[in-house]
């Protein structure tokens, strides 16, 4: 008899790598409902529309839409109230609270833990300083975070099995939670190996007026700009890239939204363009038509860098964290030695696209395809059940 499965994800109010993992899990278990603290179809990826998504009671508290962070003290209690009666297996996709669910006796809890909760551990100091809150709130916040940190550490003991996305995250989990984790790289949506319509028209020197005919809305000439993007949050250090391109006065395109957007606009040079949210098709076109992709931050894994490599584009990355595990220096990109705008600018000036083979870059990215993730995840579950049956 096939086990009855439920999925859990922290929140569905953004579109990032964690949400792509959840989407792949929903494909693996199409009948499984998804429990989450908050769900906002306007901010989440469109692939979740029409799915069986069950939001917590916090979703229905008035006046907190788009201000969910204000409910932070109540989130541990909310995830503990999810009812998993009748399920044999619960799979949580977690960067913060989902690992803390409480399952009935006899129900197995497998957690895909993207990283220990950043704002409670590794980024706890910068989280408080960067919050746009009154001074009195910032002074009280460390006391609240301390109590959350105690809960978070205890919650990390609740999953029966932990998986994670990289060796970098596995070491963080060992350090902060004292748990062992099995590494399965997250899924990357690989674009088709054919050229996009915009690139084909440019190659044929078709007049720009013809772009109005069935061509994605992001229309750019191949190799004329550098690209970066994702969730615009402080720890991703988009400010370094923006500063470098302001100094160099070279074209840069940035996709994504987040709390750093206003500050980044103030730092930007005349040739930096902020694109906001883009569709998957538009993002693929952006990758295909860029010189390369910039990834100068310490990431748990770094799906956007691999999406760029899947389009055959080299990546300039900081040689630590997930980037060090996914970028092959000299083959699929090159590393900078320090997180400074000067190092980024130097790498851009010295960059030679002729040193990189697009086919080799695509071949490297192919090993992180979604189908491979689903196969490895299913195999791990089968092995885990064989050795530790429900």
């Amino acid at each position: 008899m096939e086990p009855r499965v439920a999925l859990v994800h922290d929140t569905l109010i953004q579109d990032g790598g964690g949400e792509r993992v959840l989407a792949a899990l929903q494909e693996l278990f199409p009948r499984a409902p998804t429990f989450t603290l908050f769900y906002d179809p306007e901010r989440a990826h469109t692939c979740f529309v029409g799915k069986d998504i069950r939001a917590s009671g916090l979703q229905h508290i008035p006046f907190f839409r788009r201000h969910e962070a204000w409910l932070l003290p109540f989130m541990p209690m909310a995830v503990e109230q999810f009812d998993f009666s009748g399920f044999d297996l619960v799979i949580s996709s977690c960067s913060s609270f989902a690992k803390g669910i409480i399952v009935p006796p006899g129900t197995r809890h497998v957690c895909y833990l993207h990283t220990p909760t950043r704002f409670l551990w590794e980024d706890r100091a910068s989280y408080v300083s960067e919050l746009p809150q009154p001074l009195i709130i910032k002074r009280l916040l460390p006391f609240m975070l301390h109590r959350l940190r105690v809960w978070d550490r205890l919650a990390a003991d609740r999953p029966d099995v932990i998986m994670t996305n990289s060796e970098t995250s596995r070491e963080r989990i060992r350090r902060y939670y004292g748990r062992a984790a099995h590494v399965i790289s997250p899924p990357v949506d690989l674009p088709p190996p054919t050229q996009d319509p915009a690139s084909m028209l440019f190659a044929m020197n078709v007049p720009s007026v013809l772009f109005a005919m069935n061509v994605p809305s992001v229309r750019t000439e191949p190799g004329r700009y550098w690209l970066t993007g994702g969730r615009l949050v402080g720890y991703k250090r988009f400010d370094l890239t923006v500063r470098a391109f302001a100094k160099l006065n070279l074209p840069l395109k940035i996709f994504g939204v987040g709390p750093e957007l206003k500050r980044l606009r103030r730092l930007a040079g005349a040739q930096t363009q902020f694109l906001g949210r883009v569709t998957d098709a538009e993002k693929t076109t952006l990758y295909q038509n860029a010189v390369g992709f910039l990834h100068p931050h310490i990431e748990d894994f770094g799906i956007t860098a691999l999406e760029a490599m899947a389009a055959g584009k080299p990546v300039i990355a900081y040689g630590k964290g997930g980037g060090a595990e996914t970028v092959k220096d000299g083959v699929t990109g090159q590393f900078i030695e320090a997180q400074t705008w000067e190092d980024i600018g130097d790498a851009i000036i010295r960059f030679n696209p002729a040193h990189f083979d697009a086919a080799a870059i695509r071949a490297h990215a192919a090993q992180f395809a979604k189908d491979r993730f689903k196969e490895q995840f299913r195999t791990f579950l089968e092995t885990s059940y064989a050795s530790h049956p429900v």
Side-chain angles (χ1 to χ4, degrees):
M1 180 178 175
E2 186 174 328
R4 293 160 295 179
V5 180
L7 304 176
V8 188
H9 189 72
D10 298 314
T11 63
L12 283 173
I13 55 175
Q14 62 185 18
D15 182 18
E19 287 67 41
R20 300 308 169 98
V21 169
L22 175 63
L25 293 175
Q26 289 178 334
E27 292 178 15
L28 268 177
F29 304 99
R31 291 197 293 267
T34 299
F35 294 78
T36 188
L37 286 167
F38 306 98
Y39 173 47
D40 184 350
E42 294 181 8
R43 288 180 283 170
H45 194 276
T46 55
C47 69
F48 299 115
V49 174
K51 299 290 177 63
D52 183 0
I53 296 175
R54 306 177 186 182
S56 74
L58 297 181
Q59 169 107 348
H60 308 293
I61 298 178
F63 313 119
F64 287 96
R65 188 173 182 272
R66 295 188 181 271
H67 298 287
E68 293 86 357
W70 294 357
L71 294 170
L72 187 65
F74 306 101
M75 293 182 190
M77 179 179 64
V79 298
E80 290 179 343
Q81 290 179 341
F82 288 140
D83 183 7
F84 298 106
S85 301
F87 293 102
D88 303 305
L89 171 65
V90 181
I91 302 171
S92 60
S93 163
C94 176
S95 296
S96 55
F97 296 106
K99 61 182 174 290
I101 59 172
I102 298 175
V103 300
T107 299
R108 191 160 177 76
H109 176 194
V110 174
C111 178
Y112 191 94
L113 186 55
H114 305 283
T115 185
T117 310
R118 280 186 173 275
F119 63 85
L120 295 179
W121 301 99
E122 191 170 9
D123 296 335
R124 62 195 181 280
S126 60
Y127 177 77
V128 175
S129 62
E130 292 174 1
L131 273 180
Q133 301 292 345
L135 183 59
I136 183 65
I137 299 296
K138 290 189 176 185
R139 288 183 174 175
L140 293 174
L141 194 58
F143 297 97
M144 182 186 70
L145 294 182
H146 173 71
R147 299 189 65 175
L148 285 176
R149 195 154 42 243
V150 173
W151 179 90
D152 189 75
R153 175 60 188 86
L154 294 173
D157 288 334
R158 293 178 183 173
D160 296 295
V161 178
I162 292 179
M163 286 181 272
T164 193
N165 50 32
S166 66
E167 293 295 336
T168 298
S169 292
R170 175 155 68 176
E171 173 56 24
R172 290 174 181 162
I173 292 166
R174 184 203 63 78
R175 175 179 294 273
Y176 295 122
Y177 296 151
R179 295 290 306 267
H182 180 81
V183 176
I184 297 180
S185 300
V188 177
D189 290 319
L190 302 179
T194 56
Q195 239 184 346
D196 64 285
S199 297
M200 294 171 63
L201 289 175
F202 273 117
M204 295 185 292
N205 294 318
V206 176
S208 59
V209 68
L210 298 183
F211 277 112
M213 299 186 300
N214 300 319
V215 178
S217 59
V218 177
R219 301 160 186 158
T220 46
E221 295 188 29
R224 295 294 182 89
Y225 59 87
W226 282 87
L227 181 67
T228 191
R231 288 183 297 115
L232 304 184
V233 293
Y235 81 87
K236 290 181 180 283
R237 301 309 312 268
F238 287 105
D239 59 314
L240 300 178
T241 300
V242 169
R243 287 179 187 274
F245 277 81
K247 298 287 185 180
L248 295 172
N249 195 30
L250 291 175
L252 170 69
K253 294 182 184 292
I254 303 174
F255 62 83
V257 295
E260 285 282 284
L261 179 57
K262 288 184 179 179
R263 187 172 81 94
L264 295 175
R265 287 187 184 277
R266 292 195 297 267
L267 298 173
Q271 295 204 63
T272 294
Q273 182 181 3
F274 293 90
L275 304 173
R277 293 187 65 172
V278 296
T279 66
D280 290 343
E282 290 171 336
K283 186 163 61 171
T284 296
T285 301
L286 286 166
Y287 286 132
Q288 291 171 331
N289 295 339
V291 177
F293 189 78
L294 293 152
H295 185 78
H297 47 278
I298 301 177
E299 189 64 277
D300 310 317
F301 180 75
I303 285 182
T304 51
L306 271 166
E307 288 175 343
M309 287 185 269
K313 297 301 178 178
V315 176
I316 292 180
Y318 184 39
K320 292 186 178 181
E325 299 179 43
T326 56
V327 178
K328 297 179 68 176
D329 194 22
V331 178
T332 68
Q334 64 188 58
F335 292 135
I336 57 174
E337 295 182 357
Q339 279 186 304
T340 65
W341 71 261
E342 292 91 344
D343 270 46
I344 296 172
D346 183 67
I348 296 299
I349 292 171
R350 297 175 183 274
F351 182 80
N352 185 352
H355 290 167
F356 298 95
D357 176 33
I361 296 174
R362 291 191 191 97
H364 171 73
Q367 63 185 301
F368 299 95
K370 182 193 294 184
D371 287 344
R372 183 166 182 174
F373 166 82
K374 293 194 291 187
E375 178 185 349
Q376 291 179 335
F377 198 97
R378 183 186 295 110
T379 300
F380 180 82
L381 284 182
E382 292 171 353
T383 303
S384 176
Y385 259 94
S387 56
H388 299 88
V390 173

